[in-house]
Amino acid sequence: MGEKLLEVKNLTIGFPEENGMHTVVDNVSFTVGRGEIVGIVGESGSGKSMTVQTIMGLKKTDACVSSGEILLNGKDLLKISDEELAKIQGNDMSMVFQEPMTSLNPVKKIGWQVAESLKIHTSLPDTEIHRRVVEILSNVGLPKPEELCDKYPHQLSGGMRQRVMIAMAMICWPKLLICDEPTTALDVTVQAQILQLLRKIHEEANTSILFISHDLNVVKEVCQRVIVMYRGKIVETGYTDEVLYHPKHDYTKHLIA
């Protein structure tokens, strides 16, 4: 692993309760290097989604970060203003969610939705924005990208919608792409295509990817290193093959089984 792009240090997140705090992420630390793909695995409730939502600045309103730092390029995302964070979201880092239908706007055309980030973060003329939208839709393997710009999300298949989500996330060529269970709702064939697409993006753009999943087989396909989370803590971490073939923690063994 070369230079660090993302550093999460001693991150603790919880929800206030009558008699104190219910901790969901407990003193979590890890790094993602430039051009590295790192997986976080664990069953639902392990704290993995809460961790990445907090990195992205999307944590639930009543969730409290009680300690820790999240450094992107050395800048602590927990200490910057909302305006500064808004400049980073979608530009330096972006996220692909597991259910495109909840993340895509049903009443806006695909072209408009993919272009939105470019409109926010650049002052490019409309013709150049349109050219880039068509180009990225083509890059993520969508047929007839010109025609696709005029379609609505409900007119696309699940796999196509997920590709649109990846195009939206990649339109500003972020340094960090966070994928939260991006293949869960897809059938096996489409899932394989999406994983192949993420590998291609990683190779061509040297994008760092933080890949969240509960499925170790999926992680094995794309990730160089893996972090195993259980009940809010990291219980094991290492190179993917090492963790999968020589697991040390009982929970990892249980996940593999």
Side-chain angles (χ1 to χ4, degrees), residues 107-156:
V107 298
K108 294 281 188 191
K109 289 180 177 175
I110 296 300
W112 186 93
Q113 298 193 56
V114 177
E116 192 179 14
S117 220
L118 273 182
K119 287 177 182 158
I120 293 168
H121 296 294
T122 71
S123 49
L124 292 169
D126 287 351
T127 48
E128 175 61 12
I129 286 177
H130 178 72
R131 188 192 69 75
R132 288 197 190 190
V133 168
V134 170
E135 183 181 53
I136 197 97
L137 288 171
S138 170
N139 282 354
V140 299
L142 284 161
K144 301 183 180 164
E146 279 279 1
E147 288 174 31
L148 201 66
C149 286
D150 279 330
K151 288 197 156 62
Y152 292 94
H154 70 88
Q155 296 174 293
L156 277 57

Side-chain angles (χ1 to χ4, degrees), residues 25-155:
V25 175
D26 189 357
N27 200 28
V28 161
S29 298
F30 63 90
T31 61
V32 179
R34 284 184 193 281
E36 190 183 27
I37 308 184
V38 177
I40 302 184
V41 288
E43 291 164 317
S44 48
S46 62
K48 59 190 191 305
S49 282
M50 178 58 82
T51 301
V52 294
Q53 283 164 7
T54 305
I55 292 168
M56 223 21 235
L58 303 173
K59 69 175 171 50
K60 297 179 176 65
T61 41
D62 52 344
C64 302
V65 176
S66 50
S67 72
E69 297 174 295
I70 299 170
L71 305 172
L72 185 72
N73 276 328
K75 184 182 279 190
D76 190 347
L77 302 181
L78 297 173
K79 291 204 170 73
I80 59 177
S81 67
D82 290 352
E83 289 80 359
E84 265 190 282
L85 185 62
K87 282 184 188 143
I88 290 170
Q89 287 167 329
N91 193 23
D92 291 331
M93 61 172 179
S94 56
M95 189 156 172
V96 178
F97 300 90
Q98 84 183 68
E99 193 23 84
M101 269 323 254
T102 52
S103 310
L104 291 170
N105 186 329
V107 298
K108 294 281 188 191
K109 289 180 177 175
I110 296 300
W112 186 93
Q113 298 193 56
V114 177
E116 192 179 14
S117 220
L118 273 182
K119 287 177 182 158
I120 293 168
H121 296 294
T122 71
S123 49
L124 292 169
D126 287 351
T127 48
E128 175 61 12
I129 286 177
H130 178 72
R131 188 192 69 75
R132 288 197 190 190
V133 168
V134 170
E135 183 181 53
I136 197 97
L137 288 171
S138 170
N139 282 354
V140 299
L142 284 161
K144 301 183 180 164
E146 279 279 1
E147 288 174 31
L148 201 66
C149 286
D150 279 330
K151 288 197 156 62
Y152 292 94
H154 70 88
Q155 296 174 293

Side-chain angles (χ1 to χ4, degrees), residues 228-246:
V228 183
M229 282 185 78
Y230 176 59
R231 291 190 171 167
K233 290 182 189 288
I234 291 177
V235 293
E236 189 159 350
T237 179
Y239 289 108
T240 308
D241 285 356
E242 215 171 273
V243 172
L244 291 185
Y245 298 115
H246 310 286

